[in-house]
Amino acid sequence: MLRTIDLRGRTLTTAELLAAVPRATDARQTALTVAAEIVADVASRGESALREQAERFDGATGHAIRVPDDQLDAAVATLDPSVRDALEQAIDRVRVASHAQVPSPTTTELSPGARVTQRWQPVGRVGVYVPGGKAVYPSSVVMNVVPAQVAGVRQVALASPPQREHGGRIDPAILAAARLLGITEVYAMGGAGAIGALAHGVPGIGLEPVDVVTGPGNNYVAAAKRVVAGLVGTDAEAGATEILVVADAAADADLIAADLVSQAEHDEQASAVLVTDSEPLAVEVRRLVELRSAVTKNGARARTALAGPQSAVVLVDDRAGAVAFSNAYAPEHLELHLVDPRPAEFVNAGALFVGRYSPVSLGDYLAGSNHVLPTGGQARYAAGLSAATFLRPQQVVEYDRDALAEVEDAIVVLADAEDLPAHGEAVRARFGVRPGPADVA
């Protein structure tokens, strides 16, 4: 089921390692083309386009795109008490961890009367996307909304696909999670069209454009974020999920197999990769993956993902080879099943899970960390979602007369060197100096 890539006995450059990475790119390029068309359609036709897309992609017709309050209230009233308790635990833990991500303002005094203050301002309005296709993700409501609230965002609009089995309504668990967090602006719309609607706004349903769009989804959702980037801010393009496990001979093969299958059940495009220098471990993990995927509920979906080109067992010579491959691959989720994990060496990953008692499933729900993470190798340069996603660093400059006088001449020198004399004149003007005729000439 899992194909094997044998890199043993080879010294590879970073470029060669990237070429060996088992990722499918055709699906992403196709998704970008399709997503651009869908977003443009929503931007030009608004509600009509959303309804046509809901019928085409979700099998939903005649539903209320703006979710009425009574549906939110009913979702909370009928929520299983154990699910509510688990969601409230997740809310509390993510809120605590998110508070640590909000920096305090810092003022630097460069000289008497010369101050620069660094502050972080929240954006005013955020659009949160919560998937609802092959699985239901109330946990994603928590992961997106809580950091925004902690950052101080005043308005949060949430979108999730209408469900045919619920008569065109959003899944009740998602609605309940939104209500538990005090969210009242919810829209039944999905996929790339929802991203386009949040970014452009849809006057016909009272949806105003947002400043930032966040949330996980499939390749089409990730591609739609790329389409609207620049019009609005976005988090990392969280496409189909990924797990990379780095393990040595002492690792528990059954735990690794369980974790690979757990991420593969998300989507047929999910990536599940094991990197190891132990061929016996690799063989055993492949055997156990077969067994586990044959008996789990979403086994057919998992087996498709595990058999795809994006999933593999990678054999390397040693620990150094595993580190090099992992850092080139830059996975969304990285698990370290190593006697001596040394996580500081693994610099490119959306989130690291160290040891046998830190599975990715923990991070999906109750670790306190956020599960909206960069995929497709973006962890080399992008961060996962956090309170920082919704904050803009701003510098506040305050100089008094003496402090400006101290740097007046240097400013004029640099302005003249760049042939921008009016810059220097603007400073001189504070001290009553006006350009003479020779300066103007």
Side-chain angles (χ1 to χ4, degrees):
M1 180 179 295
L2 279 168
R3 68 193 182 105
T4 298
I5 300 174
D6 194 342
L7 302 182
R8 292 175 296 181
R10 302 165 62 188
T11 301
L12 301 178
T13 66
T14 299
E16 290 169 332
L17 285 170
L18 284 170
V21 167
R23 279 197 173 98
T25 57
D26 291 345
R28 289 187 175 88
Q29 185 55 49
T30 300
L32 184 60
T33 302
V34 173
E37 295 171 354
I38 291 173
V39 169
D41 192 26
V42 171
S44 64
R45 296 196 303 120
E47 182 179 0
S48 297
L50 288 173
R51 290 198 177 279
E52 290 175 13
Q53 292 166 17
E55 183 174 7
R56 176 184 172 191
F57 298 119
D58 304 305
T61 59
H63 60 293
I65 297 180
R66 174 69 185 259
V67 176
D69 284 345
D70 62 347
Q71 289 186 21
L72 293 164
D73 292 335
V76 172
T78 57
L79 185 64
D80 184 307
S82 64
V83 176
R84 177 169 183 161
D85 179 67
L87 282 172
E88 289 176 338
Q89 287 188 56
I91 290 169
D92 290 344
R93 296 173 79 86
V94 174
R95 197 177 300 281
V96 170
S98 297
H99 272 292
Q101 299 160 357
V102 180
S104 300
T106 303
T107 298
T108 303
E109 187 166 350
L110 293 99
S111 63
R115 293 185 300 278
V116 177
T117 298
Q118 180 77 57
R119 71 179 187 185
W120 285 262
Q121 291 289 101
V123 300
R125 181 167 165 79
V126 166
V128 166
Y129 183 73
V130 180
K134 298 179 176 68
V136 177
Y137 297 101
S139 60
S140 285
V141 179
V142 176
M143 299 292 175
N144 282 270
V145 172
V146 170
Q149 291 176 333
V150 168
V153 175
R154 296 186 305 276
Q155 297 180 13
V156 177
L158 187 145
S160 191
Q163 304 291 312
R164 185 185 329 183
E165 57 270 34
H166 294 295
R169 297 184 177 188
I170 295 173
D171 187 276
I174 291 174
L175 294 180
R179 181 56 107 193
L180 288 174
L181 286 163
I183 303 303
T184 58
E185 188 180 354
V186 182
Y187 298 91
M189 54 189 188
I195 303 301
L198 291 168
H200 288 278
V202 182
I205 58 175
L207 174 56
E208 294 292 326
V210 301
D211 300 313
V212 171
V213 175
T214 70
N218 59 21
N219 284 335
Y220 295 96
V221 171
K225 290 183 186 177
R226 183 173 299 182
V227 172
V228 302
L231 175 63
V232 296
T234 64
D235 59 346
E237 296 172 17
T241 192
E242 304 168 350
I243 180 173
L244 186 148
V245 178
V246 177
D248 56 24
D252 187 320
D254 191 49
L255 295 183
I256 295 171
D259 292 351
L260 294 175
V261 172
S262 75
Q263 294 306 295
E265 77 168 335
H266 275 287
D267 190 278
E268 289 85 353
Q269 298 180 63
S271 301
V273 180
L274 166 64
V275 180
T276 183
D277 59 0
S278 170
E279 189 167 2
L281 178 75
V283 171
E284 183 64 3
V285 167
R286 292 185 64 177
R287 183 183 74 84
L288 293 170
V289 161
E290 292 268 6
L291 292 177
R292 283 188 167 274
S293 63
V295 298
T296 192
K297 178 182 178 181
N298 298 314
R301 188 188 307 152
R303 286 192 295 276
T304 299
L306 292 162
Q310 73 275 15
S311 298
V313 171
V314 179
L315 291 171
V316 294
D317 288 309
D318 50 26
R319 176 196 176 84
V323 170
F325 184 91
S326 177
N327 285 337
Y329 187 87
E332 177 190 22
H333 305 102
L334 171 61
E335 285 191 2
L336 302 181
H337 291 246
L338 301 168
V339 173
D340 181 17
R342 283 180 272 166
E345 296 181 1
F346 295 86
V347 294
N348 295 336
L352 284 76
F353 299 83
V354 182
R356 62 187 285 130
Y357 297 108
S358 303
V360 169
S361 298
L362 172 65
D364 284 341
Y365 300 112
L366 284 168
S369 59
N370 204 291
H371 76 201
V372 183
L373 301 166
T375 63
Q378 293 180 91
R380 289 181 293 114
Y381 54 84
L385 191 142
S386 70
T389 306
F390 309 103
L391 294 168
R392 298 158 293 151
Q394 294 178 332
Q395 296 179 80
V396 181
V397 180
E398 297 177 274
Y399 272 53
D400 63 19
R401 191 181 192 283
D402 291 343
L404 181 60
E406 184 181 355
V407 295
E408 175 188 2
D409 291 342
I411 293 173
V412 172
V413 168
L414 289 173
D416 289 344
E418 294 184 350
D419 196 23
L420 297 170
H423 283 61
E425 291 159 9
V427 173
R428 296 285 198 209
R430 267 71 181 172
F431 302 97
V433 179
R434 297 183 179 278
D439 296 321
V440 175

